Amino acid sequence: QLVESGGTLVQPGGSLRLSCSASGVTIDSDFMTWVRQAPGKGLEWVSVLYRSGKTQYSDSVRGRFTVSRDNFETTLYLQMNSLRTDDTAMYYCVKSSGYGGSTFDNWGQGTLVTVSS
Amino acid sequence: QSVLTQPASVSGSPGQSITISCTGTRNDVGLYNLVSWYQQHPGKAPKLLLYEVTKRPSGVSSRFSGSKSGNTASLTISGLQSEDEADYYCCSFVGSSTSSFGGGTKLTVL
């Protein structure tokens, strides 16, 4: 089971770090992905971290967000900088598999990020 | 704006079958057999229903099936049940280590 934390209210331009820890599931999966969902909207792929350390980001967050994992491979992070109001969303941590991490197997319950002044 | 296009809503009566389409392009759905489908009930996290177009994870009912023709993938739910009422999302690998979701379809069981 994946458990996200760190979501809160933050002002535009601010920073926030989300965490994702695992219970019974390791973070050393071949792929770990962040997916977000704005209130009342659909799902949006945000970022992927490969086991090798390779990362990729959506155009909307590239250069502002950074995904990483701790050395013990127990926690996944999403560092979010220069936050904008359109970053407001529920952020899900997802254990992924398949080619390029394209199958999203196990989802956390999500953590809510609200960007507002 | 989603790369993949889904109908905003579909409906059906208990016991009937419904199909949800997911239309992309020759560069995503048409190129890769890496389409997956997710079910999301209100206030809950999404759940994987199908992956690689037609494959079902263990524990997912055989009432859910997938197919693909050209640039369009489809999810079919047979023998509709009240608990199938939810939002459904398709997703496709689009290259460069990225994936993209459809806009979602709200299924109403009449």
Side-chain angles (χ1 to χ4, degrees):
Chain A
Q1 183 178 353
L2 299 169
V3 179
E4 302 92 336
S5 61
T8 189
L9 172 64
V10 61
Q11 292 190 335
S15 297
L16 199 61
R17 188 177 79 163
L18 305 183
S19 300
C20 171
S21 60
S23 172
V25 175
T26 57
I27 302 290
D28 66 348
S29 171
D30 284 346
F31 309 94
M32 292 297 299
T33 302
W34 287 96
V35 175
R36 70 183 180 182
Q37 185 171 34
K41 303 297 184 182
L43 301 172
E44 180 186 7
W45 183 93
V46 173
S47 176
V48 63
L49 174 64
Y50 284 51
R51 179 196 287 267
S52 65
K54 174 182 174 180
T55 59
Q56 183 60 282
Y57 302 91
S58 67
D59 290 343
S60 60
V61 308
R62 185 177 295 114
R64 301 187 299 122
F65 290 12
T66 303
V67 60
S68 63
R69 180 171 50 212
D70 72 339
N71 291 335
F72 300 98
E73 298 182 335
T74 60
T75 305
L76 180 74
Y77 300 105
L78 185 67
Q79 177 67 41
M80 303 186 296
N81 299 329
S82 303
L83 283 163
R84 309 185 307 219
T85 55
D86 61 359
D87 293 318
T88 294
M90 183 72 78
Y91 284 75
Y92 294 101
C93 165
V94 190
K95 183 173 182 178
S96 314
S97 65
Y99 187 82
S102 56
T103 296
F104 308 118
D105 304 274
N106 293 297
W107 298 64
Q109 87 291 344
T111 187
L112 182 62
V113 173
T114 303
V115 184
S116 175
S117 54
Chain B
Q1 184 174 357
S2 301
V3 172
L4 308 180
T5 301
Q6 300 179 231
S9 63
V10 297
S11 62
S13 299
Q16 288 186 332
S17 295
I18 64 94
T19 297
I20 299 172
S21 61
C22 172
T23 301
T25 71
R26 63 180 181 177
N27 295 316
D28 39 66
V29 174
L31 183 59
Y32 304 103
N33 287 324
L34 295 172
V35 176
S36 51
W37 289 90
Y38 302 86
Q39 177 191 60
Q40 186 180 35
H41 287 105
K44 301 294 187 181
K47 170 190 171 184
L48 176 64
L49 286 179
L50 297 168
Y51 65 102
E52 293 176 10
V53 181
T54 62
K55 299 177 181 178
R56 269 191 315 274
S58 63
V60 172
S61 171
S62 59
R63 297 187 300 106
F64 296 93
S65 62
S67 63
K68 191 184 88 167
S69 178
N71 300 335
T72 298
S74 298
L75 166 69
T76 298
I77 308 175
S78 59
L80 266 181
Q81 300 178 0
S82 59
E83 56 261 40
D84 297 333
E85 185 160 294
D87 293 327
Y88 292 84
Y89 294 91
C90 66
C91 185
S92 176
F93 185 74
V94 297
S96 301
S97 303
T98 63
S99 294
S100 183
F101 287 92
T105 298
K106 181 177 180 60
L107 169 62
T108 300
V109 180
L110 302 171

